[in-house]
Amino acid sequence: NQLNTVDIYLVMSEYTHALAEFDIQQEILERRRMNRREHRPFNLDDYTNEKCESNFRFNKTQLRTIIHAMELPSHFVFRADDTKHRFQVSTEEAMAICLRRLAYPARLEDLGHIFCRTTTTLSIIFNTMIEYLFAKYKSTLNFAESQFTRDRLQLFSDAIAQKGAPISNVVGFIDGTVRGICRPVVNQEVVYNGHKHKHALKYQAMTTPDGITAHLFGPICGTHHDGFILTESKLLETLEDKLNFDDGCHFVLYGDPAYRRHQNLVAPFVVPENDRTSRESLHNQKMSKVRVAVEWEFGRTVNLFAFLDYHKNQKVWLSPVGAYYFVGVLFKNIKICLGGGQACKYFGVDPPTIHKYLEHGNRVFREQQ
């Protein structure tokens, strides 16, 4: 009996060791298969238009139009963390990875099954593309020059007036938005927004009747008031030359009660809370109906790119959180250029072409090279 027990123990030990060895070999084989798959070229034509739009928010034709309009190279070269290792990725794949990551807050492990790449590689591609697009189009997002031509401004003011606005020379709407972030490890009180009861960053945006976010400024710590952000952005100084013309023609923006009145910025009248019938109150109500356009665009940005609305991924000390939001707004604007949106349908104003919208950013980028 004693010999039998020892024999059984030895057999079981060898069997356990064999199983462990088998598991190790299977893991090695899986890693090899993953490496082979990782180097398989990405092919956008493998996707139907419906699947492409669901995954990347643009169909195949639109995605290729964006790449052409942005004047992007055929490939990007990325550096790994050790700075010695470099790898090349086609622009179509790099843009697809960037858009897919923004479209939904999926884990990098899940994206690895789609693109057959490691999480480290996906992270490098995504963050590098975000930083590249942010650097290239930051000036366009800060102030879209093509939206402030005389003819364009007249078109905007006429469209807003036709919707019942009592002010005939309003060309856009300004407001702030609060975007939640992951609670920082240090300096939590600096970004805590008491009104929304969460840690957040704030952005200032100005929207025109065609749905384009023509001005974006930020991020600013969530503790600050919209009036402070307006002063920091120096938008009113910029508008001095853009909204006033030598022939006496003058245009203005419209904001909510958080903003002070200015030559180029109009705010609602201050009326008692229970006042619903005075002329000032009726004026505010009519302007509120058209001002909601800026809220539509805030909502559409996070509806298209839900990654921006998932605060646990917005880690201010670890990721370029501000650049994420800027690039999300950039792609939202491009989506409107290619297919319109709620605001442009409501006001009856066609958005600019994608080439017209990106022209300024492309020119500035070429001059810097």
Side-chain angles (χ1 to χ4, degrees), residues 69-351:
M70 285 183 167
E71 301 178 359
L72 301 180
S74 60
H75 292 81
F76 281 91
V77 176
F78 299 91
R79 284 187 176 183
D81 292 336
D82 58 9
T83 70
K84 295 181 180 179
H85 175 61
R86 298 185 180 188
F87 57 96
Q88 181 174 277
V89 178
S90 72
T91 299
E92 284 190 357
E93 183 178 5
M95 286 288 283
I97 290 172
C98 182
L99 287 165
R100 182 61 182 84
R101 178 71 165 153
L102 287 172
Y104 195 76
R107 299 177 304 170
L108 288 173
E109 290 85 349
D110 298 329
L111 297 187
H113 297 302
I114 299 175
F115 296 100
C116 299
R117 291 188 177 273
T118 65
T119 57
T120 301
T121 300
L122 289 170
S123 179
I124 292 171
I125 294 172
F126 173 65
N127 284 309
T128 304
M129 289 301 296
I130 288 289
E131 291 168 357
Y132 174 85
L133 294 172
F134 173 71
K136 186 170 186 177
Y137 294 107
K138 183 181 179 181
S139 60
T140 299
L141 289 162
N142 281 153
F143 197 81
E145 295 279 349
S146 61
Q147 293 292 90
F148 290 89
T149 63
R150 172 68 178 271
D151 292 340
R152 198 75 181 158
L153 292 173
Q154 190 64 57
L155 179 65
F156 293 158
S157 64
D158 291 344
I160 294 172
Q162 288 173 9
K163 281 298 178 179
I167 306 176
S168 61
N169 61 338
V170 173
V171 295
F173 309 99
I174 185 172
D175 200 3
T177 183
V178 180
R179 306 306 324 154
I181 60 172
C182 184
R183 185 178 64 182
V185 177
V186 296
N187 298 326
Q188 299 174 9
E189 68 283 356
V190 176
V191 293
Y192 186 77
N193 184 280
H195 177 63
K196 298 292 184 178
H197 302 292
K198 62 182 180 182
H199 297 88
L201 297 176
K202 298 185 75 172
Y203 301 84
Q204 175 181 277
M206 191 272 283
T207 300
T208 47
D210 54 1
I212 297 295
T213 301
H215 160 75
L216 183 65
F217 178 78
I220 295 292
C221 294
T223 55
H224 290 298
H225 188 267
D226 287 352
F228 172 84
I229 302 176
L230 177 62
T231 302
E232 288 294 303
S233 70
K234 302 187 183 303
L235 176 63
L236 296 179
E237 290 83 346
T238 303
L239 293 175
E240 289 288 344
D241 296 331
K242 302 298 181 181
L243 299 184
N244 302 288
F245 296 88
D246 295 336
D247 60 0
C249 188
H250 170 62
F251 299 101
V252 297
L253 301 182
Y254 187 80
D256 63 20
Y259 297 102
R260 57 182 172 84
R261 287 175 173 266
H262 183 271
Q263 178 186 357
N264 298 312
L265 176 61
V266 179
F269 288 104
V270 178
V271 297
E273 187 175 350
N274 59 350
D275 182 358
R276 295 289 185 272
T277 58
S278 67
R279 192 168 75 173
E280 291 82 1
S281 179
L282 293 175
H283 174 282
N284 290 349
Q285 292 172 37
K286 291 178 180 179
M287 289 305 300
S288 179
K289 289 180 180 178
V290 292
R291 195 198 72 84
V292 73
V294 69
E295 304 292 350
W296 292 341
E297 299 313 312
F298 286 144
R300 190 173 191 197
T301 299
V302 295
N303 284 338
L304 283 171
F305 305 108
F307 175 84
L308 303 174
D309 206 29
Y310 186 62
H311 72 276
K312 292 184 178 180
N313 275 339
Q314 311 302 312
K315 302 177 181 179
V316 292
W317 304 120
L318 299 177
S319 305
V321 176
Y324 290 162
Y325 191 74
F326 267 70
V327 174
V329 172
L330 172 68
F331 282 125
K332 186 274 298 180
N333 283 347
I334 290 174
K335 184 79 173 177
I336 290 175
C337 292
L338 294 174
Q342 186 175 0
C344 63
K345 292 177 182 177
Y346 176 75
F347 289 106
V349 179
D350 292 331

